[in-house]
Amino acid sequence: MTAPAALLKSIQSSVAGLTLAGLLAQHPELARRTVQRWLSQWSREGQITASGEGRARRYAAPALPAPASAIASPDRFPPHIPLSADSRDILAYVDQPLQARKPVGYQRDFLDAYQPNVSGYLPESLRRQLHNMGRTAQAHEAAGTYSRAILNRLLIDLSWASSHLEGNTYSRLDTVELIEQGRAARGKAAIETQMILNHKTAIELLVESAVSAGSAGLSRYLLMNLHSALAENLLPNPSDEGRIRQHAVDIGQSVYRPLSTPQQIDEMLEVLLRKLGAIADPFEQSFFAMVHLPYLQPFADINKRTSRLAANLPLFRANLCPLTFLDVPEQAYSRATLGVYELTRVELLRDLYVWAYERSTQEYLAIKQELAEPDPTRLAYRELIKQTIREVVQHPHADALAAIAQAMEQVPRADRDDVQALVVQELRRLHEGVLARYGLRPSELSAWNAAQHSL
């Protein structure tokens, strides 16, 4: 049996599919680049399917055609999500075999034709509907108030649901334990744990950006750092984290070929961000990010994850319910993005966006009225509290009480006791799941704990 035939047989024999690392482990005699080339070719030809992104991408044999009597194939767009006639037209096209779809490259006219606050992907009536669904009691408070108030719940829901769309097998309970207790699930790949933790860090970055004074939206700086947070320790080349793509990429199971020249990508990203920042309505802004960031593919990988989180920033700033992607099926999301990639049409993604947002708001309706008011002292001195905790933990052998007392000199005398009590309280419940909030590393927490136990 030839080497390509043996490799293809390994894929076809696997029930759950194999990652590139798994294939190389089974066939150590083959060069990585050679295997990657064969996988890309077989994917284009439809001999295999590819799902997920980066190191988590799995290759499997194509599903057998469903019998005519079948109600619905698990690999088909879920029938319970309502679609317009235009969306069904897009779906009919992207459901064709690769060979029947016309190869297409990046269409600059797609972005150039969009005029902020004039064109609009979401009709005014639909935007009103979304506003009614997502309105919260904090609508008229400072930007980011609501997202900060629901942060603990948001970190779990959005981290889990967005990772699930990438093939992550963590359960929601696993995610809760990882985020709240810093405890990785047994039997899960390290890449899955890293993906969840990266989401947590990225969401915290977004929420902090939403409440920061002078933060006007998705700047280039914020986008790059958002991608860097999501990509940490997940890309083959770490220098690709938070950096414009330097090479061509293929889109799995698609005939779409994005731009390959870094200068062109950079130019179009500037146009994209300028137009994004000019959009007045938060939902239009959110949906625009979900359409154009993946379409441009500005990064070497992890573009869709970046767009899903970026789409939440306008909602955070407007104190609207977040878009968590809970219960969004991967096969629905992938087909909707294919419609954008290959046809530059947004109707299918728009129908999915509206359905997904309604699901998200239903999850949060119950907690809208139950939110405790943020502690005003904690809110007023949050940066000082963070800085003090970081300073104390990073100097485990120094006098912690003296360091705290010195920091309190910046606080008006009337508030010192309360702020000092908050710092001590936070130090007592410090654990791995909240380290990013303070800019700390697990090794620093370990050194701090060891120093306390030695006293």
Side-chain angles (χ1 to χ4, degrees):
M1 184 181 295
T2 64
L7 187 71
L8 186 58
K9 185 176 180 181
S10 295
I11 297 172
Q12 293 170 338
S13 303
S14 173
V15 176
L18 292 167
T19 62
L20 175 60
L23 287 167
L24 292 174
Q26 290 189 18
H27 300 272
E29 74 282 0
L30 298 178
R32 183 186 187 91
R33 289 189 177 276
T34 301
V35 172
Q36 288 176 318
R37 188 174 68 251
W38 289 342
L39 293 174
S40 179
Q41 176 185 336
W42 294 337
S43 294
R44 288 196 301 270
E45 295 171 351
Q47 294 189 62
I48 62 174
T49 62
S51 60
E53 289 186 1
R55 298 178 187 174
R57 176 166 289 181
R58 288 184 172 273
Y59 302 90
L64 294 173
S69 59
I71 296 175
S73 165
D75 193 40
R76 292 291 176 181
F77 198 97
H80 60 272
I81 299 177
L83 299 179
S84 65
D86 286 335
S87 293
R88 288 194 292 271
D89 181 48
I90 295 170
L91 190 57
Y93 180 82
V94 299
D95 270 345
Q96 296 180 102
L98 281 172
Q99 300 90 328
R101 283 142 49 195
K102 180 182 177 181
V104 61
Y106 182 85
Q107 306 296 306
R108 177 168 182 153
D109 289 348
F110 183 35
L111 180 58
D112 285 343
Y114 184 91
Q115 299 300 315
N117 310 313
V118 177
S119 307
Y121 292 141
L122 305 177
E124 184 179 351
S125 59
L126 183 53
R127 295 199 303 271
R128 284 199 302 269
Q129 177 186 343
L130 291 167
H131 276 280
N132 288 335
M133 284 193 291
R135 187 175 295 116
T136 70
Q138 289 78 16
H140 301 295
E141 296 188 21
T145 300
Y146 182 73
S147 57
R148 179 176 285 281
I150 62 167
L151 181 58
N152 291 341
R153 171 75 178 268
L154 178 65
L155 288 173
I156 293 165
D157 288 346
L158 186 50
S159 296
W160 174 64
S162 180
S163 297
H164 187 68
L165 285 173
E166 302 302 327
N168 195 300
T169 62
Y170 258 68
S171 68
R172 193 176 184 284
L173 181 59
D174 291 336
T175 305
V176 170
E177 292 189 349
L178 177 61
I179 288 178
E180 293 188 349
Q181 307 297 328
R183 197 162 50 233
R186 292 183 178 179
K188 302 295 183 184
I191 188 173
E192 296 186 297
T193 303
Q194 184 76 58
M195 187 187 296
I196 297 282
L197 292 175
N198 286 1
H199 271 85
K200 174 183 179 292
T201 301
I203 295 164
E204 289 174 331
L205 172 64
L206 276 185
V207 171
E208 194 63 34
S209 298
V211 302
S212 297
S215 176
L218 188 66
S219 64
R220 182 188 179 96
Y221 171 85
L222 180 54
L223 177 65
M224 295 302 172
N225 281 273
L226 178 63
H227 179 265
S228 176
L230 285 167
E232 183 181 359
N233 204 26
L234 292 181
L235 296 180
N237 184 357
S239 66
D240 285 332
E241 297 171 7
R243 181 187 182 199
I244 290 292
R245 175 164 52 86
Q246 302 294 303
H247 52 78
V249 292
D250 285 332
I251 307 294
Q253 290 300 293
S254 178
V255 294
Y256 171 58
R257 298 295 176 263
L259 291 173
S260 58
T261 307
Q263 292 81 359
Q264 290 180 313
I265 299 170
D266 195 276
E267 176 190 353
M268 295 312 299
L269 181 60
E270 289 300 321
V271 176
L272 188 162
L273 291 173
R274 188 164 59 249
K275 294 197 173 192
L276 179 65
I279 298 171
D281 184 85
F283 286 106
E284 179 70 20
Q285 201 175 40
S286 169
F287 187 66
F288 181 93
M290 275 193 64
V291 169
H292 281 284
L293 282 172
Y295 183 65
L296 178 59
Q297 294 279 306
F299 304 110
D301 202 349
I302 310 184
N303 290 282
K304 288 188 291 186
R305 264 170 270 180
T306 303
S307 75
R308 290 195 292 270
L309 266 61
N312 268 291
L313 182 61
L315 309 182
F316 291 170
R317 288 187 52 76
N319 288 319
L320 292 159
C321 273
L323 173 59
T324 60
F325 299 91
L326 289 170
D327 299 325
V328 173
E330 188 279 330
Q331 63 269 33
Y333 181 72
S334 62
R335 281 167 171 74
T337 53
L338 281 179
V340 175
Y341 292 163
E342 300 186 13
L343 298 171
T344 60
R345 289 181 58 182
V346 304
E347 294 92 340
L348 184 56
L349 185 60
R350 181 172 62 201
D351 285 350
L352 180 62
Y353 180 94
V354 174
W355 180 86
Y357 191 68
E358 184 174 14
R359 296 289 292 177
S360 293
T361 58
Q362 288 170 351
E363 290 290 330
Y364 281 80
L365 279 174
I367 64 172
K368 281 184 186 178
Q369 305 304 324
E370 297 173 6
L371 291 175
E373 286 296 316
D375 183 328
T377 304
R378 187 189 299 273
L379 188 61
Y381 296 100
R382 66 182 186 277
E383 290 305 322
L384 177 62
I385 292 171
K386 288 180 182 180
Q387 292 169 10
T388 305
I389 290 173
R390 183 165 59 248
E391 179 70 17
V392 168
V393 173
Q394 288 179 338
H395 298 84
H397 299 292
D399 186 335
L401 292 178
I404 295 172
Q406 183 178 357
M408 292 306 105
E409 292 177 4
Q410 305 174 51
V411 180
R413 190 172 299 277
D415 293 338
R416 282 184 188 175
D417 289 346
D418 290 340
V419 177
Q420 180 166 327
L422 284 172
V423 171
V424 173
Q425 182 184 72
E426 291 296 300
L427 279 170
R428 284 175 175 167
R429 64 186 187 191
L430 195 64
H431 60 83
E432 188 175 3
V434 297
L435 292 183
R437 183 183 305 168
Y438 305 107
L440 294 168
R441 299 189 300 272
S443 59
E444 291 173 321
L445 176 62
S446 297
W448 157 257
N449 286 332
Q452 304 316 299
H453 293 151
S454 65
L455 295 178

